[in-house]
Amino acid sequence: MRGKPLEGGSLFHGRYRILSTLGRGSFASVYLARDTEWKGNLVAVKEISTEGFSEQEFREMNAQFLQEAAFMMRLEHPGLPQVVEFFAEKSRYYLVMEWIAGKTMHEQIHVKGPATEDEVVDWGLQICEVLGYLHSRDPYPVLLGDLKPSNVMITYDGKVKVIDFGVARYLAPSQNPRTFAMVSPGFSPPEKYSKFDCDLRGDIYSLGATLYWAMTRTPLEKFRFQIPPLRRLCPDAHPWLEALLARCLEIEPARRWVRVSAVREELEKLRDQKKDQQTRVASRTGDILDELYRYKHGRL
């Protein structure tokens, strides 16, 4: 990133005590800080530098930053990070959010390996709650537009938070139906690469791709949208989950789930079915152990 970074221990913007650097990129950095005006809570300070940008690059970055900040300031949901404030200083923009203690789904799976089926179902249900909230905003639904493992945080107690609203937008009738030109290979729906509209079913495709990747850790872009059935890569996967993800990942939007609430309902059925099976197995195991105990002591 261009320019001098914020120094550890310094008081920034008269409010944020910089503690450490969480990450640095070519034009953005994220710092961990303590908010001296918000009960000393930890926050993440996202800094975006436009130094050396052309006029066109500056306009694009300015629009993207203001859009992300404006979206997040209006939204309030347990599965979304709370925004404290956003502001600009000279050629740099700052977005201050609550600090999320955890790792991105991408980081966690690269460290621990593919997620279990129970984890995938749990994460899927939580992401569905967030998407359901966004898709039901008034007066117009919000299209997230860039759901992927690196934009999903998993806290240390297993809670999911969806981050990064850089390409989100309202689906207002008066707006251009095309989303921001940026795509995420393997996770963006096929229609986002073409001239066709990308509606809420685009988020459903990205949800399916994210959960599929979490369970297989396989780069989906290599399949060129011809993604094989889940059980070809994970033979022990539940057929119900395989069918659910296959419908999310249909190439034609019309063949996908229409509403994320339908995906959530299917995941809930799968979760409940698995719980019933576990309960029956535990009960049967208890019966067998009881019979063995009575048999053993009956012979003594």
Side-chain angles (χ1 to χ4, degrees), residues 65-112:
F65 173 81
L66 293 177
Q67 176 171 293
E68 179 178 11
F71 260 111
M72 298 190 74
M73 289 292 286
R74 296 190 194 106
L75 302 174
E76 186 174 353
H77 187 276
L80 299 174
Q82 182 179 351
V83 175
V84 180
E85 66 171 334
F86 66 95
F87 54 91
E89 287 191 1
K90 297 181 180 179
S91 61
R92 300 189 181 192
Y93 293 101
Y94 296 91
L95 179 63
V96 183
M97 301 173 287
E98 67 167 315
W99 178 64
I100 302 170
K103 297 181 181 295
T104 67
M105 182 188 293
H106 186 271
E107 292 169 335
Q108 178 165 317
I109 287 174
H110 271 290
V111 171
K112 295 184 176 181

Side-chain angles (χ1 to χ4, degrees), residues 4-266:
K4 185 178 179 181
L6 299 178
E7 295 183 0
S10 63
L11 186 65
F12 174 63
H13 202 58
R15 176 174 178 175
Y16 305 108
R17 182 71 64 186
I18 303 300
L19 301 178
S20 64
T21 302
L22 295 175
R24 288 175 63 84
S26 57
F27 60 85
S29 294
V30 180
Y31 301 92
L32 177 64
R34 191 171 298 281
D35 187 349
T36 60
E37 295 183 13
W38 188 28
K39 302 178 182 179
N41 288 342
L42 294 175
V43 294
V45 180
K46 182 177 182 179
E47 177 187 58
I48 301 174
S49 174
T50 59
E51 295 175 16
F53 276 30
S54 67
E55 184 176 347
Q56 178 64 25
E57 289 173 330
F58 175 80
R59 284 200 300 268
E60 291 178 356
M61 180 58 65
N62 181 67
Q64 183 176 351
F65 173 81
L66 293 177
Q67 176 171 293
E68 179 178 11
F71 260 111
M72 298 190 74
M73 289 292 286
R74 296 190 194 106
L75 302 174
E76 186 174 353
H77 187 276
L80 299 174
Q82 182 179 351
V83 175
V84 180
E85 66 171 334
F86 66 95
F87 54 91
E89 287 191 1
K90 297 181 180 179
S91 61
R92 300 189 181 192
Y93 293 101
Y94 296 91
L95 179 63
V96 183
M97 301 173 287
E98 67 167 315
W99 178 64
I100 302 170
K103 297 181 181 295
T104 67
M105 182 188 293
H106 186 271
E107 292 169 335
Q108 178 165 317
I109 287 174
H110 271 290
V111 171
K112 295 184 176 181
T116 66
E117 187 169 85
D118 287 344
E119 286 176 324
V120 166
V121 171
D122 179 45
W123 295 346
L125 283 168
Q126 293 188 63
I127 296 172
C128 282
E129 290 293 333
V130 176
L131 291 180
Y133 168 79
L134 296 175
H135 292 180
S136 62
R137 290 304 83 208
D138 186 51
Y140 305 113
V142 173
L143 175 69
L144 182 59
D146 195 28
L147 179 63
K148 56 186 177 182
S150 59
N151 286 343
V152 176
M153 291 290 298
I154 310 294
T155 68
Y156 293 126
D157 60 353
K159 302 300 182 184
V160 165
K161 286 186 181 282
V162 177
I163 59 175
D164 198 333
F165 279 66
V167 299
R169 67 179 178 88
Y170 287 104
L171 289 181
S174 59
Q175 288 187 342
N176 187 323
R178 293 205 67 188
T179 55
F180 191 76
M182 186 188 74
V183 296
S184 295
F187 301 101
S188 293
E191 63 268 24
K192 201 170 182 182
Y193 290 80
S194 69
K195 63 182 180 180
F196 300 110
D197 299 356
C198 184
D199 58 19
L200 299 179
R201 291 170 296 185
D203 279 347
I204 291 176
Y205 181 95
S206 298
L207 168 63
T210 296
L211 298 181
Y212 188 104
W213 180 88
M215 199 160 174
T216 65
R217 205 172 69 174
T218 299
L220 273 66
E221 58 269 26
K222 74 177 185 179
F223 297 124
R224 298 180 180 273
F225 302 113
Q226 302 296 326
I227 300 174
L230 178 64
R231 290 196 294 167
R232 190 173 300 174
L233 279 68
C234 300
D236 295 331
H238 198 291
W240 201 326
L241 182 60
E242 179 182 70
L244 184 152
L245 294 183
R247 186 166 176 183
C248 289
L249 294 168
E250 287 282 1
I251 294 177
E252 294 295 331
R255 296 175 63 88
R256 296 178 205 146
W257 303 98
V258 177
R259 292 179 297 276
V260 73
S261 59
V263 182
R264 188 192 69 239
E265 289 170 5
E266 292 300 308

